[in-house]
Amino acid sequence: TYTSNPEAYDYLLRGLESQWHFTKEAFAQARQMYNKAIELDPTYAVAYAWMGWTYWMEWFYQLSDDPQAVEQAFAMEQQAIALDDSLSLAHDVSGAVYLFRNKQYEQAIAEAKRAIALSPNFYSPYGVLAASLICAGRPAEAIEEMKRYYGLDKPVYTRYALWLCNVLHLDLGRSYIYQDHVWD
């Protein structure tokens, strides 16, 4: 749910501004802003979702020494979903946690599909879905999802997107590819 409290919304925007620096310090500063937003509006699901995302990014990119970071990410996303089941970001990050932390591939696939259904133009859930399908031993099914992910992620081509493309190609017995036209 979004908020009707302008001060809470302002703190959310400040958190978003901080987090895009992608450092441990920036994520900590963003969480301070999200915490303030949540204090002002405890039902602010979007603030929980973004807070969980910062914990997830710290864990995934190994910026945190805290072994509980991934658990905190999951807890924040579950809180966001409990408050508003229509948040694509919360389902996306939950799917990633199911995939990478628990290796619960079918649950990860379900969460990614839910995130896609809620926001079909959001690139990230396609990557989670493709990675989950690869890990579940279904790389051929991952091709279309990876194409969607890669198409929506342009022109950014995040490291994750390139890594995922290469994993997919290797799982399909193709050579390593690191270029624009990975589907030729």
Side-chain angles (χ1 to χ4, degrees):
T1 310
Y2 294 91
T3 186
S4 59
N5 183 321
E7 193 175 357
Y9 180 64
D10 185 57
Y11 278 115
L12 179 87
L13 293 177
R14 291 178 193 199
L16 289 170
E17 181 181 0
S18 293
Q19 77 183 28
W20 295 118
H21 293 281
F22 283 88
T23 65
K24 183 177 180 175
E25 296 77 21
F27 291 142
Q29 185 176 10
R31 281 194 294 274
Q32 288 176 349
M33 298 298 112
Y34 299 143
N35 273 323
K36 288 181 181 180
I38 291 167
E39 286 173 12
L40 291 166
D41 183 351
T43 66
Y44 199 2
V46 174
Y48 286 100
W50 280 114
M51 188 175 334
W53 182 89
T54 65
Y55 282 117
W56 167 251
M57 295 303 287
E58 271 191 10
W59 181 83
F60 186 77
Y61 287 108
Q62 300 176 348
L63 298 174
S64 175
D65 298 332
D66 182 1
Q68 292 300 311
V70 71
E71 301 304 327
Q72 291 168 312
F74 191 69
M76 290 294 111
E77 299 311 334
Q78 293 306 296
Q79 180 64 32
I81 291 168
L83 291 168
D84 184 352
D85 188 46
S86 71
L87 290 177
S88 181
L89 175 66
H91 289 283
D92 177 44
V93 176
S94 290
V97 172
Y98 280 121
L99 170 63
F100 290 102
R101 178 200 69 178
N102 293 338
K103 298 180 181 12
Q104 293 177 303
Y105 307 133
E106 295 307 316
Q107 188 65 33
I109 290 167
E111 287 291 328
K113 285 182 176 182
R114 175 77 174 132
I116 290 167
L118 291 167
S119 186
N121 291 321
F122 180 30
Y123 73 93
S124 184
Y126 293 101
V128 172
L129 181 55
S132 300
L133 289 166
I134 292 167
C135 291
R138 298 157 41 191
E141 293 176 53
I143 291 173
E144 288 305 312
E145 306 312 326
M146 196 59 227
K147 285 181 183 179
R148 289 182 186 100
Y149 176 88
Y150 204 70
L152 290 170
D153 195 30
K154 283 184 178 179
V156 176
Y157 298 136
T158 62
R159 288 183 198 162
Y160 178 72
L162 294 171
W163 169 79
L164 193 54
C165 285
N166 290 315
V167 168
L168 178 56
H169 278 275
L170 291 172
D171 276 5
L172 293 171
R174 299 177 185 165
S175 62
Y176 179 83
I177 306 228
Y178 191 87
Q179 61 187 26
D180 252 3
H181 305 289
V182 297
W183 307 111
D184 294 342

